[in-house]
């Protein structure tokens, strides 16, 4: 076997397709044991079948559990082959329980007439042919199975299986940039046999896959390519291929090249930061060719990709099942050991979620930057700030807090490295998409915009320098910032940021009928991703009770407790002219969201005045729209 891990090869199909014949032959060829599932039926099942009655699901349950146990026992020592009809998905779920990554399905396919003819020729078979019809009706074709036509000779069928399992790899990765390389090593270290591909660009990218394979011992079993067709042909069917190429046009170009070599029922996963509308378009394009497309957000950066990222796959749920064992094995694990990967929802929802993840990430980063700036203003050096932030860990720990502490401690000779870095923030566009999304959906997730615009503002360095000189003022940037207040302000701003992010997801889910599960999304984000933090664990529980954290009693108590500190820090910072766009946006959002009587009545009146846009009246519960002639006599 090419895989380093033992496998259970389930040979499945309706009665009469030749499962035992193939199982026996394959067993000899591969020198691994074969078990005929029929031998493991409880006696009562055999009796029932012999009298011509079909088994019901209850009858089958005990039998399937026996086969699952048989598979598990054998896996402790070696690979094995088990023949079992396993016609329904629910049966296969029992058969593969706890051993998903070790299971390979081979479906023997034949026409009704062909199979009936075979059965009629058999002697002493306990399955009456009358049951065949119901077998064909029950067959739910497993998308993840290698399907082989029984018109092939048994010898040929065994050769096909052998070629697939011995010569081909299980999973393919296209694009060996930083993330593609780390994910490849992650897959390989979990015992998967993978094919890796990187394009050949003369003088620029040559033999990338081969050199990469040579560099890391865990890749010794993997197959490197720089020719796409060879790469595709090296994969077991149905093929599972992950694209780790630059988001945007490159994804389309690669899909167009790839599609020529793919077969029906293959699955392509886009693991990049693609826009969810592009993902939807690609899902539709490939669907016409019966190829599945999964848009999977992947978070965790280089280290996460290597050791366990958070994965957010969206698209066709049945197609997800094909790649589920692979993605869930390489994903990070939550505090209960469950994978930080789960099916998110239909269409482009996986990539949508990743965009919002990045929106929350932008704000989390910006809030830390604002805290840093406030602390710098009151004469703390980077190391002192790192110490303050370290002392906050019991209250507001997060991956981003931890890396910020590390960053602030980093020195180059006598100098703090942070002081040597040009203060112009870059971005790759996902924060922009998150901001556009929130405005398109009409949801006030305002902090995302504030963090994005803070990055944009930072890029006008030359103008900032000029204006600092032109707008000299006498403000002495010293304030009585109370560190405890700053911690509380930061804590509340984070809560509001998370509220806004999840609110955006909730509303998008409603308007797209995605039926997203907020608690599960928060759970997937408890480990592996950039915004992981104990707060996310708390939110995963909170979202089991409510869709809006502002209506959780526990959160309301926290907000009330923290609010004066946030007000205080924002006021002090503004008086001292310290830019704090995200902290102040948190205050403004909170003030607006908790104000029963807003000033929007005046906006409505203004709209009606100049554009006859009409308005509704408080005392008219019918929701009727009114228009006033604002220049009428009473005004004159
Ligand atoms: C992650 C990150 C990752 C990356 C983005 C954001 O979840 O692992 O979000 O996807 O950091 O490219 O980058 P920008 O800050 O450059 O927009």
């Amino acid at each position: 076997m090419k895989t380093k891990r033992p496998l259970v090869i389930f040979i499945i199909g309706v009665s009469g397709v030749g499962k035992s014949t193939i199982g026996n032959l394959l067993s000899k060829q591969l020198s691994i044991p074969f078990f005929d599932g029929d031998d493991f039926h409880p006696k009562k099942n055999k009796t029932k079948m012999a009298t011509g009655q079909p088994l019901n699901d209850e009858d089958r349950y005990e039998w399937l559990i026996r086969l699952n146990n048989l598979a598990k026992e054998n896996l402790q020592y070696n690979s094995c082959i088990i023949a079992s009809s396993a016609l329904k998905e629910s049966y296969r779920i029992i058969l593969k329980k706890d051993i998903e990554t070790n299971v390979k399905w081979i479906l023997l396919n034949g026409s009704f007439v062909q199979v009936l003819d075979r059965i009629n020729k058999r002697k002493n078979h306990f399955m009456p042919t009358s049951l065949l019809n119901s077998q064909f009706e029950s067959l739910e074709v497993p998308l993840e199975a290698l399907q082989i036509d029984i018109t092939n000779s048994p010898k040929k069928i065994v050769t096909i299986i052998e070629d697939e399992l011995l010569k081909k790899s299980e999973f393919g990765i296209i694009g060996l940039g930083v993330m593609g390389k780390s994910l490849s090593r992650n897959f390989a270290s979990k015992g998967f046999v993978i094919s890796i591909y990187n394009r050949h660009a003369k003088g620029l990218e040559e033999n990338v896959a081969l050199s990469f394979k040579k560099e890391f011992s865990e890749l010794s079993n993997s197959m490197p390519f720089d020719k796409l067709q060879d790469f595709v042909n090296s994969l077991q069917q149905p093929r599972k291929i992950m694209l780790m190429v630059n988001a945007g046009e490159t994804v389309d170009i690669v899909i167009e090249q790839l599609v020529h070599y793919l077969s029906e029922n293959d699955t392509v996963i886009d693991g990049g930061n693609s826009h969810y509308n592009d993902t939807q378009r690609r899902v539709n394009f490939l669907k016409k060719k019966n190829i599945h497309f999964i848009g999977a957000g992947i978070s965790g950066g280089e280290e996460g990709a290597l050791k366990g990222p958070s994965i957010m796959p969206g698209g066709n749920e049945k197609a997800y099942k094909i790649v589920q064992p692979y993605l869930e094995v390489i994903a990070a694990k939550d505090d209960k050991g469950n994978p930080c990967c789960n099916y998110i929802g239909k269409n482009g929802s996986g990539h949508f979620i990743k965009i919002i993840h990045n929106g929350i990430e932008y704000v989390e980063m910006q809030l830390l930057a604002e805290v840093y700036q406030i602390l710098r203003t009151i004469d703390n050096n980077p190391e002192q700030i790192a110490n303050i932030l370290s002392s906050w860990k019991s209250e507001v720990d997060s991956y981003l807090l931890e890396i910020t502490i590390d960053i602030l401690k980093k020195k180059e000779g006598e100098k703090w490295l942070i002081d040597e870095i040009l203060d112009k923030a870059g971005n790759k566009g996902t924060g922009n998409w998150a901001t556009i999304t929130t405005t398109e959906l009409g949801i006030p997730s305002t902090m995302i915009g504030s963090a994005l615009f803070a990055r944009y503002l930072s890029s006008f360095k030359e103008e900032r320098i000029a204006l600092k000189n032109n707008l000299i003022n006498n403000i002495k940037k010293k304030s009585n910032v109370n560190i405890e207040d700053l911690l509380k302000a930061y804590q509340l701003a984070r809560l509001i940021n998370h509220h806004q992010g999840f609110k955006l997801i909730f509303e998008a889910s409603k308007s797209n009928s995605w039926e997203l599960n907020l608690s599960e999304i928060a759970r997937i984000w408890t480990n592996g991703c950039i915004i992981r933090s104990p707060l996310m664990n708390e939110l995963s529980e909170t979202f089991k009770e409510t869709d809006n954290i502002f209506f959780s009693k526990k959160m309301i108590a926290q907000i009330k407790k923290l609010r004066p500190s946030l007000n205080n820090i924002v006021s002090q910072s503004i008086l001292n002219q310290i830019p704090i766009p995200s902290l102040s946006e948190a205050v403004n959002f909170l003030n607006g969201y908790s104000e029963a009587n807003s000033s929007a009545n005046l906006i409505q009146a203004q709209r009606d005045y100049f554009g006859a846009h009409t308005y509704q009246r408080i005392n008219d519960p019918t929701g009727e729209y009114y228009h006033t002639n604002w220049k009428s006599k009473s005004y004159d």
Side-chain angles (χ1 to χ4, degrees), residues 179 272-273 297-302 304 309-310 312 354 357-359 361-362 365 426-432 452 455 528-531:
M179 290 295 279
N273 276 335
I298 299 186
S299 176
E302 184 179 1
S310 169
M312 304 144 236
K354 179 60 182 13
H357 167 284
N358 281 26
E361 172 187 301
Y362 271 48
M365 293 166 74
N427 80 91
K428 290 215 182 82
T430 48
N432 186 10
L452 174 76
R455 288 198 192 185
C529 71
I530 303 296
I531 59 172

Side-chain angles (χ1 to χ4, degrees), residues 93-252:
I93 288 173
I94 303 173
L95 288 176
K96 68 182 174 186
K97 194 170 178 303
D98 303 330
I99 48 172
E100 276 188 46
T101 51
N102 300 75
V103 167
K104 295 278 173 196
W105 303 100
I106 314 279
L107 173 67
L108 299 180
N109 266 333
S111 72
F112 184 85
V113 177
Q114 204 175 12
V115 178
L116 187 65
D117 183 50
R118 284 189 182 201
I119 289 186
N120 286 338
K121 283 183 188 146
R122 282 190 196 171
K123 279 184 194 155
N124 301 330
H125 192 266
F126 65 80
M127 163 91 186
T129 51
S130 59
L131 289 187
L132 186 61
N133 223 344
S134 81
Q135 291 230 339
F136 267 92
E137 276 163 21
S138 305
L139 177 63
E140 294 164 1
V141 174
L143 295 182
E144 65 271 43
L146 167 65
Q147 298 188 35
I148 308 180
D149 199 312
I150 57 167
T151 42
N152 288 297
S153 69
K155 199 166 165 250
K156 174 76 182 159
I157 292 176
V158 168
T159 311
I160 295 173
I161 299 173
E162 209 189 354
D163 282 354
E164 286 287 312
L165 297 181
L166 298 187
K167 297 190 185 141
K168 295 190 175 179
S169 51
E170 304 170 88
F171 198 95
I173 292 156
I174 291 184
L176 298 174
V178 172
M179 290 295 279
K181 279 185 172 167
S182 298
L183 285 170
S184 301
R185 290 180 59 200
N186 189 345
F187 275 112
S189 67
K190 299 293 179 317
F192 293 119
V193 181
I194 55 168
S195 286
I196 44 180
Y197 166 87
N198 198 84
R199 67 174 179 177
H200 177 94
K202 203 164 187 303
L204 295 168
E205 293 172 57
E206 294 187 0
N207 294 322
V208 176
L210 182 64
S211 321
F212 172 50
K213 174 187 159 117
K214 284 184 186 158
E215 211 179 322
F216 297 98
S217 58
E218 65 266 40
L219 295 171
S220 61
N221 235 3
S222 64
M223 301 163 77
F225 295 94
D226 60 4
K227 285 201 185 66
L228 196 58
Q229 187 171 8
D230 294 349
F231 163 81
V232 174
N233 289 339
S234 75
L235 292 163
Q236 288 172 12
Q237 297 204 34
R239 302 182 185 92
K240 296 155 276 285
I241 298 171
M242 183 179 259
L243 309 184
M244 291 307 301
V245 299
N246 287 337
E249 217 191 339
T250 314
V251 178
D252 289 314

Side-chain angles (χ1 to χ4, degrees), residues 315-563:
N316 177 327
E317 192 169 6
K318 284 191 181 149
Y320 174 64
K321 298 275 180 223
I322 305 176
V323 295
Q324 179 181 6
Y326 300 87
L327 298 187
E328 294 192 358
V329 165
I330 63 150
K333 304 294 174 285
D334 70 13
D335 56 3
K336 296 193 179 70
N338 297 315
C340 290
C341 170
N342 200 353
Y343 175 68
I344 297 293
K346 295 185 280 194
N347 306 337
S349 60
H351 274 144
F352 175 86
I353 294 302
K354 179 60 182 13
I355 289 177
I356 309 311
H357 167 284
N358 281 26
I360 298 172
E361 172 187 301
Y362 271 48
V363 180
E364 290 284 280
M365 293 166 74
Q366 177 63 24
L367 287 174
L368 281 163
E370 291 176 18
V371 164
Y372 157 79
Q373 190 156 11
I374 292 169
L375 288 171
R376 274 244 87 162
T377 312
I378 54 172
D379 285 346
N380 287 287
N381 69 32
E383 173 116 35
Q384 286 165 328
I385 299 175
N387 291 338
I388 292 170
L389 296 186
S390 294
S391 72
W392 289 5
K393 280 172 81 169
S394 58
E395 299 288 326
V396 286
D397 202 8
S398 71
Y399 167 75
L400 283 168
L401 183 85
E402 276 167 23
I403 66 161
T404 304
I405 293 167
D406 283 353
I407 290 166
L408 293 173
K409 284 181 180 163
K410 185 83 179 165
K411 279 190 143 182
E412 258 182 12
E414 288 303 295
K415 291 177 179 165
W416 308 103
L417 179 53
I418 188 74
D419 290 340
E420 303 303 307
I421 297 177
L422 181 65
D423 57 336
K424 282 182 173 182
N427 80 91
K428 290 215 182 82
T430 48
N432 186 10
W433 287 345
T435 307
I436 292 171
T437 301
T438 198
T439 59
E440 271 176 354
L441 286 168
I443 309 303
S445 297
T446 51
M447 291 180 78
I448 300 177
S450 73
L452 174 76
F453 293 132
R455 288 198 192 185
Y456 290 170
L457 183 62
S458 77
S459 68
F460 292 90
K461 173 83 174 173
E462 296 70 21
E463 288 170 40
R464 289 194 282 119
I465 294 172
L467 285 171
K468 182 177 167 60
N469 297 330
N470 292 346
L471 294 177
I472 288 177
N473 54 54
N474 294 324
I475 292 269
K476 194 162 172 271
K477 289 198 176 185
K478 277 272 178 197
S479 70
N480 299 325
V481 172
N482 174 312
I483 304 293
E484 191 57 28
D485 259 354
L486 187 57
L487 164 62
K488 288 182 179 162
Y490 170 64
Q491 207 172 348
L492 179 51
R494 286 189 69 219
L495 268 185
I496 297 172
N497 174 32
H498 283 74
H499 159 75
Q500 290 193 347
F502 280 97
K503 174 78 173 156
L504 185 48
I505 293 171
F506 175 73
E507 295 295 340
S509 172
K510 261 205 309 192
S511 58
N512 292 296
S513 310
W514 282 336
E515 294 169 11
L516 304 182
N517 179 336
L518 298 187
S519 166
E520 187 56 11
I521 291 167
R523 189 195 65 74
I524 289 171
W525 288 346
T526 57
N527 201 4
C529 71
I530 303 296
I531 59 172
R532 62 187 184 258
S533 76
L535 172 62
M536 204 59 87
N537 292 64
E538 216 182 300
L539 292 182
S540 176
E541 290 307 311
T542 308
F543 284 125
K544 286 180 184 162
E545 289 151 24
T546 173
D547 291 326
N548 185 331
I549 57 177
F550 269 69
F551 290 93
S552 133
K553 280 197 186 122
K554 198 172 154 207
M555 290 294 171
I556 290 175
Q558 275 210 53
I559 294 166
K560 274 189 184 161
K561 193 179 84 188
L562 303 172
R563 194 174 187 179

